[in-house]
């Protein structure tokens, strides 16, 4: 076989593998996120969707970037300055939860949470205290997120 035809075969195999990866990526992202964006307004084409205000809350969905599998769902009170919940839907792993919680000085702290809204085991005492102080707000955010996305 000629050297030139081996190069073409290798090139065609690589292009074919890339095309298959794109197809698999598109199907996985579509199947995972399609249900989350129903009824939402598209802000950035095929990237970000939002419901600006429903029952005093803003809901948003950020689709994964091209060839990435990480996107997120977010919910926060319409009037900023309070707790916000971030959900990273699990595609190949469990769904991950986080919250942005302001302290007394309005300084925001990013907190990783378990599925039941509790701080992760390795969280500092300060974080555990912040979560405890904001338990009612976080429970409301989790409830609203379940109503919106049924995750």
């Amino acid at each position: 076989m000629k050297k030139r035809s081996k190069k073409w075969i290798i090139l065609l195999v690589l292009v074919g593998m890339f095309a298959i990866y794109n197809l698999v990526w598109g199907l996985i992202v579509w199947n995972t996120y399609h249900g989350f964006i129903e009824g939402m307004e598209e802000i950035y084409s095929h990237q970000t969707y939002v419901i600006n205000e429903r029952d005093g809350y803003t809901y948003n969905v950020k689709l994964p970037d091209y060839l990435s599998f990480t996107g997120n769902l977010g919910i926060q009170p319409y009037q900023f300055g309070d707790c916000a919940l971030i959900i990273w839907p699990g595609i190949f792993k469990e769904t991950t939860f986080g919250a942005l919680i302001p302290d007394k000085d309005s300084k925001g702290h990013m907190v990783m949470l378990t599925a039941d809204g509790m701080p992760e085991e390795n969280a500092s005492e300060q974080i555990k205290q912040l979560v405890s102080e904001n338990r009612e707000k976080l429970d409301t955010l989790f409830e609203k997120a379940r109503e919106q996305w049924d995750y």
Side-chain angles (χ1 to χ4, degrees):
M1 199 185 239
K2 295 180 184 177
K3 253 187 176 179
R4 193 171 193 185
S5 78
K6 282 184 182 180
K7 288 180 183 179
W8 276 108
I9 290 172
I10 291 171
L11 180 64
L12 288 174
V13 167
L14 290 174
V15 168
M17 289 172 51
F18 185 68
I20 290 170
Y21 183 83
N22 273 270
L23 179 64
V24 169
W25 172 82
L27 290 172
I28 289 172
V29 168
W30 175 259
N31 285 333
T32 302
Y33 285 87
H34 178 68
F36 296 140
I37 63 174
E38 286 181 20
M40 298 185 91
E41 177 186 349
E42 185 176 48
I43 300 298
Y44 298 108
S45 182
H46 305 293
Q47 290 181 358
T48 305
Y49 297 79
V50 71
I51 297 175
N52 261 335
E53 196 276 326
R54 179 189 295 157
D55 299 331
Y57 292 87
T58 298
Y59 303 82
N60 69 289
V61 175
K62 167 63 177 78
L63 299 181
D65 292 328
Y66 180 60
L67 299 184
S68 169
F69 291 99
T70 305
N72 64 62
L73 315 174
I75 180 172
Q76 65 187 27
Y78 186 64
Q79 300 297 325
F80 299 109
D82 217 342
C83 297
L85 179 64
I86 304 167
I87 304 167
W88 293 274
I91 293 178
F92 301 112
K93 57 182 178 143
E94 286 187 29
T95 297
T96 308
F97 302 88
L100 184 62
I101 304 174
D103 61 14
K104 297 172 196 145
D105 301 325
S106 297
K107 182 178 171 185
H109 297 270
M110 186 63 196
V111 179
M112 297 308 294
L113 302 171
T114 62
D116 59 354
M118 301 305 290
E120 291 184 331
E121 287 182 27
N122 60 351
S124 69
E125 287 305 314
Q126 177 190 14
I127 295 298
K128 290 177 181 177
Q129 182 65 31
L130 272 174
V131 170
S132 176
E133 291 169 1
N134 291 279
R135 176 82 279 143
E136 187 176 313
K137 294 174 186 176
L138 290 170
D139 287 344
T140 300
L141 290 174
F142 269 90
E143 180 182 317
K144 294 285 186 185
R146 282 187 200 97
E147 289 172 9
Q148 174 68 27
W149 295 301
D150 191 31
Y151 65 86

